[in-house]
């Protein structure tokens, strides 16, 4: 006998129509709550957490934390204090936001409009039970696993966690690295998918444990997997179409207004500003959309009897909007409040956006060719350096490693497997042996050169940014050998020096005060760069923000960004006000900068 259990409806655009019905009831409380919560995040939560964290750093005299010192900090007592104190606070704030949104979405699926105040009150009343969930697992999910997905619909307090681009860039240069990166991405995606219903289960059901909620989420995911995939494809298409239409309307409106009334520079500025505001407005809806999406699917595939009875109690209270008519002002009071909140948040966001995305373009924007021009030859070889000169780079960034016989070789990798196909290390070879091994990359072939040969060849033609790298087998005279080579060729004015190793930065400056020495930072918690003793800073693009740029400017030290490999990023960092970039696309970067500068020159005349 066939089962009489009804089959779930096919989720095509019917699901989108269902979502629109939910949003008829949920849109207003969604916007009201998100606006308030984002405003609180900007003006209260983030500043308080920052003050608290900086105070912990002050207690430990740890204001100059960067690179590998961060790992030592995490395992220090001050790092432990930071985690113990701040992680629970951040967790509660993030959980509260998600819980309120889930409640609003749930009542929307019932065809009811929830009052934000009543829902927030209910969440706060139930908040103590959160500690019974299994704090470690829940914190791990909300503060690490979900942010790693980085798809634009996370909590207000916690941005997406990204793997720094210099790591992904290096991994993608090898097949094994690309496979590893892809595998990590797939694992993160799968873990997020199987845990997608965990929060609705914890918020809406009587479940008090995180891991059982995860197991139930995995079962629900398996039942709803095809519906989930179909809806994701459907929404992907709708988002692309909607985004295209919105941008087209904004661009068309700006061009219509600006026609024959604004100069080219102001038109571009107005256009980018309006697009940014439009995208920000859309971003307010991303998290509520995601929550609505998950909650609707959860209701389709879960057992209604599992819903916590307290939600029905909340339903019976005067917490949901009734259908009776009221006076105009009373009926529209929440809308008026929402409008005022939109204005307040827009102003606050505008100030924040201007501070974080607009700066004063530098008088001279420096373009450094990363390991030369890799479109002209193998990285760090003479052909790549000649290509960098043709690409009109201001400097060539190159890497030094010490060989077995104490000489200085221009090469980045400690091991030659990636470029030469040989599993041999630089520190196991003499300079003569190393320079005889052919290197291959992107269809080019080249050879390692000595630092002295590169200095002689490039001297007077282009300046060099020399990075002193370490492999752990350098002798005690590594830095002295470098300084002696520079002085021997009288190249002090032809180079600048940088290193990831702060001790090397200090040692070079001690031995050669006349050299300009910079500190390369791939990760930092330091709010003020003045804490580091260096003539300039080179910061990985993930950690560059307006605050650190202002910090460098106040200290009178240049700040360069690495590795900037898209024209959009070049324009972004130029507008942000950094002093220069290190890039693999030097010729493209030069063209972008010329186009940005030309309208200004035309306007002046």
């Amino acid at each position: 006998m066939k089962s009489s259990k009804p089959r779930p409806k096919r989720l095509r655009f019917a699901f989108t129509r269902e979502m629109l019905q939910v949003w008829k009831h949920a849109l207003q409380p969604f916007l009201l709550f998100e606006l308030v919560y984002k405003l609180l995040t900007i003006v209260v939560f983030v500043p308080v957490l920052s003050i608290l964290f900086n105070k912990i750093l002050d207690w430990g005299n740890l204001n100059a934390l960067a690179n590998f010192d961060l790992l030592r900090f995490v395992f220090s007592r001050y790092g432990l204090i930071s985690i113990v104190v701040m992680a629970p606070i951040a967790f509660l704030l993030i959980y509260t936001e998600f819980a309120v949104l889930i409640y609003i979405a749930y009542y929307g699926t019932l065809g009811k409009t929830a009052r934000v105040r009543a829902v927030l009150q209910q969440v706060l009343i139930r908040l103590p039970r959160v500690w019974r969930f299994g704090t470690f697992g829940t914190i791990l999910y909300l503060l690490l696993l979900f942010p790693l997905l980085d798809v634009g619909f996370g909590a207000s307090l916690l941005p997406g966690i990204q793997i720094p681009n210099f790591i992904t860039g290096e991994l993608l240069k090898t097949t094994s690295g690309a496979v590893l990166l892809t595998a990590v991405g797939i694992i993160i995606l799968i873990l997020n998918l199987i845990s997608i219903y965990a929060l609705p289960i914890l918020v809406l059901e009587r479940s008090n444990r995180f891991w059982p909620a995860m197991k139930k989420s995995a079962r629900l995911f398996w039942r709803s997997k095809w519906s989930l995939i179909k809806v994701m494809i459907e929404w992907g298409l709708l988002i692309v179409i909607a985004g295209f239409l919105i941008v087209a309307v904004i661009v068309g409106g700006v061009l219509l207004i600006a026609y024959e009334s604004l100069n080219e520079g102001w038109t571009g500025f107005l256009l980018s500003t309006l697009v940014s505001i439009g995208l920000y407005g859309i971003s307010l809806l991303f998290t509520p959309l995601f929550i609505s999406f998950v909650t609707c699917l959860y209701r389709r595939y879960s057992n209604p009897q599992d819903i916590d009875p307290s939600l029905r109690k909340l339903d019976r209270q005067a917490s949901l909007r009734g259908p009776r008519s009221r006076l105009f002002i009373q009926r529209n009071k929440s809308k008026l409040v929402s409008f005022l909140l939109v204005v307040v948040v827009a102003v606050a966001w505008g100030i924040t956006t201007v501070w974080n995305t607009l700066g004063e373009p530098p008088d001279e924007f420096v373009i450094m060719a990363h390991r030369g021009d890799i479109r002209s030859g193998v990285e760090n070889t003479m052909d790549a350096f000649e290509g960098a000169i043709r690409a009109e780079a201001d400097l060539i960034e190159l890497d030094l490693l010490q060989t077995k016989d104490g000489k200085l070789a221009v090469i980045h990798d400690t091991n030659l497997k990636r470029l030469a196909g040989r599993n041999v290390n630089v520190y196991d070879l003499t300079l003569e042996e190393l320079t005889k091994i052919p290197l291959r990359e992107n269809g080019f072939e080249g050879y390692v050169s000595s630092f002295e040969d590169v200095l002689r060849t490039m001297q007077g033609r282009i300046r060099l940014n020399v990075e002193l790298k370490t492999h752990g087998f350098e002798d005690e005279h590594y830095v002295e050998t470098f300084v002696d080579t520079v002085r021997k060729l009288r190249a002090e004015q032809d180079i600048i020096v940088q290193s990831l190793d702060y001790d090397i930065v200090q040692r070079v400056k001690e031995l050669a005060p006349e050299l300009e020495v910079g500190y390369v930072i791939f990760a930092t918690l330091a709010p003020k760069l003045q804490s580091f003793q260096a003539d300039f800073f080179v910061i990985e693009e993930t950690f560059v923000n307006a605050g650190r740029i202002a910090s460098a400017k106040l200290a009178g030290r240049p700040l360069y960004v690495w590795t900037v490999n898209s024209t959009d990023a070049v324009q972004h960092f130029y507008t942000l006000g950094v002093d220069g970039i290190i890039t693999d696309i030097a010729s493209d970067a030069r063209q972008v900068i010329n186009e940005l500068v030309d309208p200004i020159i035309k306007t002046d005349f």
Side-chain angles (χ1 to χ4, degrees):
M1 182 175 179
K2 293 184 179 180
S3 174
S4 60
K5 184 177 180 180
R7 297 178 63 184
K9 296 180 181 179
R10 298 181 67 184
L11 299 182
R12 292 182 178 175
F13 286 95
F15 186 84
T16 299
R17 292 194 296 271
E18 181 181 335
M19 284 285 295
L20 290 174
Q21 291 298 316
V22 171
W23 271 59
K24 283 176 58 178
H25 304 281
L27 177 60
Q28 185 176 327
F30 271 151
L31 284 177
L32 179 62
F33 176 72
E34 279 293 90
L35 287 169
V36 172
Y37 213 77
K38 287 185 183 297
L39 182 60
L40 288 174
T41 299
I42 293 172
V43 301
V44 179
F45 301 153
V46 170
V48 168
L49 288 173
S50 297
I51 292 170
L52 182 60
F53 182 67
N54 290 332
K55 181 60 67 175
I56 295 174
L57 294 181
D58 288 339
W59 289 339
N61 194 25
L62 298 168
N63 288 310
L65 279 176
N67 298 350
F68 300 106
D69 289 335
L70 289 177
L71 188 61
R72 289 190 285 271
F73 166 74
V74 169
F75 291 100
S76 71
R77 59 178 176 175
Y78 296 102
L80 182 61
I81 291 172
S82 299
I83 294 172
V84 169
V85 171
M86 298 182 66
I89 297 174
F91 161 66
L92 288 176
L93 292 173
I94 293 169
Y95 172 82
T96 298
E97 179 178 8
F98 279 136
V100 170
L101 293 177
I102 289 171
Y103 275 136
I104 293 171
Y106 172 72
Y107 281 110
T109 63
L110 299 178
K112 301 175 182 179
T113 302
R115 289 186 183 275
V116 173
R117 184 173 59 183
V119 169
L120 181 59
Q121 181 181 3
Q122 182 73 1
V123 170
L124 294 178
I125 290 173
R126 292 161 58 92
L127 209 55
R129 82 185 188 105
V130 168
W131 301 115
R132 301 197 300 269
F133 285 173
T135 309
F136 175 76
T138 319
I139 288 179
L140 192 67
Y141 173 67
L142 284 181
L143 270 62
L144 181 61
L145 179 60
F146 186 65
L148 273 172
L149 192 60
D150 191 27
V151 288
F153 41 70
S156 299
L157 184 65
L158 192 66
I161 298 175
Q162 293 181 319
I163 301 174
N165 291 336
F166 81 95
I167 295 178
T168 58
E170 291 302 313
L171 287 174
L172 290 173
K173 290 180 179 179
T174 63
T175 302
S176 58
V179 170
L180 175 63
L181 194 61
T182 303
V184 169
I186 292 173
I187 290 172
I188 292 172
L189 176 61
I190 291 174
L191 289 176
N192 271 285
L193 286 175
I194 64 177
S195 60
I196 195 170
Y197 299 113
L199 273 178
I201 291 170
L202 290 171
V203 172
L204 298 175
E205 296 187 7
R206 290 164 291 189
S207 173
N208 289 322
R209 305 297 297 172
F210 177 73
W211 295 114
M214 280 284 288
K215 292 179 181 178
K216 182 173 181 179
S217 175
R219 292 195 299 270
L220 289 179
F221 164 72
W222 189 250
R223 290 177 57 194
S224 65
K225 58 184 181 299
W226 298 119
S227 299
L228 194 62
I229 292 172
K230 290 176 183 177
V231 173
M232 289 173 66
I233 295 173
E234 175 183 320
W235 275 29
L237 292 173
L238 291 174
I239 289 172
V240 169
I241 294 171
F244 176 78
L245 291 176
I246 291 171
V247 172
V249 169
I250 293 174
V251 171
V254 170
L255 293 179
L256 182 62
I257 295 171
Y259 183 68
E260 294 184 350
S261 62
L262 295 175
N263 61 54
E264 185 178 352
W266 279 106
T267 301
F269 172 76
L270 181 60
L271 177 62
S272 62
T273 301
L274 289 179
V275 169
S276 297
I277 293 173
L279 292 176
Y280 174 76
I282 295 172
S283 71
L284 284 175
L285 304 178
F286 282 171
T287 303
L289 272 172
F290 168 73
I291 293 297
S292 301
F293 164 73
V294 173
T295 305
C296 284
L297 283 175
Y298 163 77
R299 282 206 66 220
R300 279 178 173 269
Y301 291 95
S302 64
N303 186 347
Q305 300 303 317
D306 292 337
I307 300 296
D308 195 322
S310 64
L311 290 182
R312 291 189 286 274
K313 179 181 178 182
L314 181 68
D315 192 359
R316 289 195 299 271
Q317 296 172 349
S319 58
L320 301 175
R321 299 189 185 278
R324 293 181 303 175
S325 61
R326 300 167 182 159
L327 295 175
F328 176 81
I329 295 178
Q330 292 178 332
R331 190 171 53 208
N332 295 280
K333 181 173 61 176
S334 60
K335 295 180 180 179
L336 293 173
V337 172
S338 299
F339 175 75
L340 290 176
L341 284 169
V342 169
V343 173
V344 172
V345 173
V347 172
W349 169 82
I351 295 172
T352 305
T353 299
V354 169
W355 175 246
N356 284 286
T357 62
L358 294 178
E360 182 180 353
D363 295 331
E364 181 182 2
F365 189 79
V366 178
I367 296 175
M368 305 187 199
H370 185 229
R371 306 178 195 172
D373 181 18
I374 59 174
R375 298 174 177 179
S376 302
V378 180
E379 65 182 53
N380 277 317
T381 64
M382 289 295 190
D383 288 339
F385 299 154
E386 293 291 344
I389 295 175
R390 293 192 298 271
E392 301 182 39
D394 297 300
L395 287 90
I396 294 172
E397 186 270 350
L398 57 85
D399 306 284
L400 292 191
L401 286 172
Q402 192 176 46
T403 59
K404 181 179 179 179
D405 52 349
K407 304 293 180 62
L408 301 179
V410 180
I411 187 171
H412 175 272
D413 294 3
T414 298
N415 189 279
L416 298 182
K417 188 173 183 179
R418 177 173 69 90
L419 293 177
R422 293 181 56 178
N423 188 20
V424 60
N425 297 310
V426 170
Y427 53 79
D428 290 324
L429 300 170
T430 64
L431 180 62
E432 183 178 1
E433 293 170 336
L434 182 60
T435 55
K436 291 180 179 179
I437 299 175
L439 309 178
R440 294 178 178 84
E441 184 182 34
N442 298 329
F444 299 106
E445 182 174 311
Y447 292 86
V448 176
S449 298
S450 69
F451 176 51
E452 187 170 335
D453 286 344
V454 172
L455 264 185
R456 291 183 188 277
T457 304
M458 296 295 139
Q459 201 165 14
R461 302 176 63 197
I462 189 171
R463 295 188 74 201
L464 305 177
N465 178 4
V466 182
E467 180 170 348
L468 296 182
K469 301 188 72 65
T470 59
H471 46 53
F473 294 89
E474 298 81 16
D475 62 37
E476 59 184 3
H477 303 296
Y478 176 39
V479 176
E480 287 84 345
T481 302
F482 166 74
V483 172
D484 290 344
T485 303
V486 173
R487 286 176 172 167
K488 173 184 174 183
L489 297 180
R490 299 180 180 179
E492 292 90 342
Q493 301 304 312
D494 296 311
I495 69 167
I496 60 176
V497 190
Q498 66 180 33
S499 182
L500 283 162
D501 190 316
Y502 192 56
D503 291 335
I504 287 181
V505 171
Q506 302 305 299
R507 182 60 175 157
V508 172
K509 200 62 182 176
E510 178 186 345
L511 293 175
E514 70 276 14
L515 290 178
E516 188 178 349
V517 188
Y519 186 29
V520 182
I521 299 174
F522 64 78
T524 183
L525 296 176
K528 298 179 181 179
L529 295 177
Q530 299 98 312
S531 305
F532 302 108
Q533 299 301 313
D535 297 320
F536 63 90
F537 302 103
V538 180
I539 304 183
E540 204 277 332
E541 57 182 330
T542 307
F543 290 88
V544 176
N545 57 38
R548 292 197 174 99
I549 294 172
S551 170
K553 289 185 182 297
L554 287 173
R557 304 172 196 171
L559 186 150
Y560 307 114
V561 186
W562 68 291
T563 305
V564 181
N565 283 336
S566 74
T567 54
D568 288 341
V570 172
Q571 180 173 350
H572 168 70
F573 286 115
Y574 174 80
T575 305
L576 201 57
V578 304
D579 295 280
I581 58 172
I582 298 176
T583 178
D584 291 327
I585 55 170
S587 59
D588 294 343
R590 175 60 63 200
Q591 182 177 353
V592 169
I593 298 304
N594 288 342
E595 291 174 355
L596 289 171
V597 172
D598 280 346
I600 299 175
I601 296 175
K602 292 175 184 176
T603 302
D604 291 341
F605 285 92

